[in-house]
Every structure is written in structure tokens, then in C-alpha cells.
Amino acid sequence: MKTFVLLAMLSVLCASLGAEPPAARLALTEPSAPLPQRLSDTGLYVADSIRVRTDNIAFAPQYPLWSDGTSKRRWIYLPPGAAIDASRVDEWEFPIGTRLWKEFSYDRRVETRYIERVADGSWRFAAYVWNKEGTNAVLAPEDGAALPVSAAPGGRYVVPSRNDCLACHEGPSVPVLGFSALQASPDRDPLAPHAEPARNDHANLANLVTSGRLRNLPPRFIKQPPRIVATSPTARAALGYLHGNCGHCHNDAGALTGLELVLAQEAENAERSSQRTMQLLLGHSSRFRPQGADNAQRVARDGGTHMLTLRMKTNNPLARMPPLGVQQVDAEGVALIERWIAQHLSNH
């Protein structure tokens, strides 16, 4: 009790001086603890403000997920003295107490998503909806919500349900998306659609290792940062786009393994990974077939209809890929994949 009172007094004092309260306020969360009702109570901001705490590390994946044209900001918090174990290069082990936030904006902040690794090692997910004044965000209903946002497609912004969060985050072997050896590589892809320019304050493999926040990464990945192995710059960007937008479901670890469609790329076995994706796309029969078609291929060898791009650009919600989190076709992403397919077919 005395410790709690002391921390509370320190928080008030720090707030009055414009400083940050001690990191100890981000105590480990028990699995049964209720989710904070306000975003400001998750540890993202300095008390009584929307100024991000300095112990929350900004990052930007080199292959970001398309989210209907929203702009995003992202942060990760690692408890003091704790570090990510990168001994399995493509399956990072995040410490208990890890927290991540992703903020979505149009002309104003709309939503911030939150994931946290709690005391028993499990992960929990939440979404927070911003008020129009941009002063705070409150916990969204468990079933999600639809918000009137004029800049969103059709003037409607959809906040995912908790089950929607699980559908994406529990697909890969690690539930943290967009923060990995490949995504944090300093060898960034200049052709990656919608990627933010790297900033000095963004986390990457080099500064994470130097600061002690990432441990056991094999030294060769510092000397030669991970990158997708591809036959051309366009192919590299296309494989990266599929990795960032599709690989969290289409991989060899989740519920869709039976489809034999692996779009996730690996840092450890980069060449094998990209070759496998090509083999599973080019000329491979697709289970999805347009009405009236006797057969279909994911990427047609004869230059016919490609199910890969057909599903990316359809407006039919029952056929569209990805099936969640998207209302508007990513024209730039589709153009990249079509350009890559055309180049590949013309060279073979």
C-alpha cells in the first residue's frame, strides 16, 4: 500500500513538473484484469496529456498493411531491463509486459489498437475510439463499431471486433505483426507501397541490439541485414507487399496451412522462402473459382485470369482479399502485383 501511495505521489509530482512518472507505473497485468477504459490509461502517454512517453519506442514496418488509406503511427513498450529474444530469427519471443499501439488517422485520429502480453504469457487485444476533439479515446465495444468518418470510404470507418483481432494476430506463430527481423531491417525496400521513410527515432535491428532491447540475434543479420531475395526490385517489393498484407494468415504455421499458400517471407531462409512462394503461386490451381470457370490458377502461366489479383481488386466482400479490415481496393498495391506478374511471365 505504501508503495502504491508513493508511486501515486510521484506521478502527481512529475505531472506538475511536466516530466514523466516512473516506468514502474506500467506494472505487469494479470490476465483477469479488466482492459483500461481509456487509451490514456494504457501507458502510451504522459499523464494528463497526449504526449507519447519517451520509453515507448516508435517503429514503422518496411512493408506496412494497407488500411483504406489511413496514416499510422506505431509504438512498442518493453519493460525496464527486459529484451526480445531473437534467437529464433523469424519467431521473436517478446517479454512479459510488452505493449504495442497502432494509431489510425485520416484528417484526425480515429482509432488506436492495443496489444499487451500479460503476466501468464498470453496476449490481449483492444481497440480505442477517439473523440472528435482528439483529446482521448475510449475502449470500443467487444463486437467492434462503425463510425461516421467523412474521409473514410463511404464515410464509414469500421473498428474491428476482438474476434477480428484474433483472426489476424493468431494466424502466425508470433501474434505481433509488423515488428520482426524482416520488417525492422535497416535494408529497407525503396519500392514498398505506403511505407514511411525511416527516421532516426524508429526502432531497427541495429539500434535495438545496441540498446540491449534485442538479444541473441545472430551477428550475420547485423553485418548483412535481412532482405527478400528476388529476381528484380519489382519482385522484391511485390513479395514484401504480399508478406505484409497477406502473410499473417497465409503462412505455414496457422489455420490456413491446408491451402498450401505461403506468402509470409523468412529472414532466416530468405531464398528458400521466396522460391516457395513463387512455386505455390505460378500455375498453381486455386480453390477459388469465378462463377462458370472450370479451373483457375493463382497466377496463370498462360497470362489468363490471375486469381491472386482478381481477389485483391474485387468489390465483392465475399471474394475480396484480405477479407477483414479493408473496404477500399489498394490500387497501388494491385498495380505493383500486376506489374510483377507481367514482368515474370514475359521473362519466362
Side-chain angles (χ1 to χ4, degrees), residues 220-285:
R220 68 180 183 276
F221 290 103
I222 294 297
K223 295 179 181 178
Q224 186 172 353
R227 68 178 286 156
I228 291 173
V229 174
T231 56
S232 70
T234 298
R236 177 191 177 193
L239 289 169
Y241 181 87
L242 294 175
H243 171 80
N245 285 269
C246 315
H248 49 275
C249 287
H250 292 287
N251 54 63
D252 54 9
L256 300 183
T257 52
L259 293 178
E260 296 184 349
L261 178 57
V262 179
L263 300 178
Q265 300 302 307
E266 298 177 357
E268 181 73 76
N269 300 293
E271 185 171 4
R272 185 197 70 177
S273 179
S274 60
Q275 288 176 350
R276 176 177 58 179
T277 295
M278 293 299 299
Q279 291 167 359
L280 294 175
L281 284 176
L282 188 63
H284 200 290
S285 178

Side-chain angles (χ1 to χ4, degrees), residues 135-336:
T135 56
N136 208 341
V138 297
L139 184 65
E142 189 168 342
D143 293 334
L147 310 177
V149 177
S150 59
R156 180 173 175 268
Y157 180 88
V158 178
V159 178
S161 68
R162 303 273 166 78
N163 286 335
D164 289 341
C165 295
L166 294 175
C168 290
H169 286 272
E170 291 195 343
S173 55
V174 180
V176 174
L177 307 180
F179 195 78
S180 64
L182 180 59
Q183 291 283 30
S185 175
D187 185 4
R188 291 175 72 88
D189 188 339
L191 298 184
H194 318 302
E196 301 173 43
R199 300 197 319 248
N200 291 335
D201 63 327
H202 280 164
N204 61 42
L205 293 184
N207 58 38
L208 285 169
V209 169
T210 300
S211 66
R213 308 304 263 163
L214 187 71
R215 298 173 185 164
N216 303 322
L217 181 73
R220 68 180 183 276
F221 290 103
I222 294 297
K223 295 179 181 178
Q224 186 172 353
R227 68 178 286 156
I228 291 173
V229 174
T231 56
S232 70
T234 298
R236 177 191 177 193
L239 289 169
Y241 181 87
L242 294 175
H243 171 80
N245 285 269
C246 315
H248 49 275
C249 287
H250 292 287
N251 54 63
D252 54 9
L256 300 183
T257 52
L259 293 178
E260 296 184 349
L261 178 57
V262 179
L263 300 178
Q265 300 302 307
E266 298 177 357
E268 181 73 76
N269 300 293
E271 185 171 4
R272 185 197 70 177
S273 179
S274 60
Q275 288 176 350
R276 176 177 58 179
T277 295
M278 293 299 299
Q279 291 167 359
L280 294 175
L281 284 176
L282 188 63
H284 200 290
S285 178
S286 172
R287 294 188 185 183
F288 177 86
R289 298 177 184 176
Q291 188 174 5
D294 294 330
N295 57 69
Q297 296 179 347
R298 291 166 177 167
V299 174
R301 288 185 181 274
D302 61 2
T305 301
H306 310 300
M307 292 301 101
L308 176 65
T309 51
L310 178 69
R311 301 195 70 181
M312 288 176 64
K313 59 186 179 183
T314 180
N315 288 317
N316 181 352
L318 299 179
R320 180 174 55 218
M321 281 290 164
L324 297 174
V326 173
Q327 301 179 78
Q328 184 176 24
V329 173
D330 179 6
E332 185 178 347
V334 170
L336 168 65

Side-chain angles (χ1 to χ4, degrees), residues 36-219:
Q37 291 298 305
R38 301 187 306 167
L39 178 63
S40 55
D41 295 327
T42 64
L44 178 56
Y45 302 116
V46 177
D48 300 321
S49 77
I50 53 171
R51 181 164 55 90
V52 175
R53 294 173 57 94
T54 57
D55 50 358
N56 296 326
I57 307 166
F59 69 97
Q62 68 166 323
Y63 298 111
L65 182 70
W66 164 255
S67 301
D68 286 343
T70 54
S71 60
K72 304 174 192 175
R73 296 195 298 167
R74 307 164 184 84
W75 302 270
I76 183 171
Y77 167 82
L78 300 170
I84 302 164
D85 182 358
S87 53
R88 292 185 296 175
V89 176
D90 294 294
E91 297 180 15
W92 287 1
E93 181 71 20
F94 289 82
I96 303 297
T98 297
R99 303 179 184 201
L100 298 103
W101 299 264
K102 181 161 67 171
E103 176 190 278
F104 297 76
S105 300
Y106 282 107
D107 50 350
R108 64 176 180 86
R109 295 181 179 94
V110 179
E111 178 199 2
T112 299
R113 295 177 194 171
Y114 172 64
I115 67 175
E116 176 185 13
R117 193 165 199 191
V118 296
D120 69 349
S122 62
W123 294 84
R124 64 179 188 168
F125 306 82
Y128 291 85
V129 177
W130 282 86
N131 58 25
K132 291 183 179 180
E133 295 75 26
T135 56
N136 208 341
V138 297
L139 184 65
E142 189 168 342
D143 293 334
L147 310 177
V149 177
S150 59
R156 180 173 175 268
Y157 180 88
V158 178
V159 178
S161 68
R162 303 273 166 78
N163 286 335
D164 289 341
C165 295
L166 294 175
C168 290
H169 286 272
E170 291 195 343
S173 55
V174 180
V176 174
L177 307 180
F179 195 78
S180 64
L182 180 59
Q183 291 283 30
S185 175
D187 185 4
R188 291 175 72 88
D189 188 339
L191 298 184
H194 318 302
E196 301 173 43
R199 300 197 319 248
N200 291 335
D201 63 327
H202 280 164
N204 61 42
L205 293 184
N207 58 38
L208 285 169
V209 169
T210 300
S211 66
R213 308 304 263 163
L214 187 71
R215 298 173 185 164
N216 303 322
L217 181 73

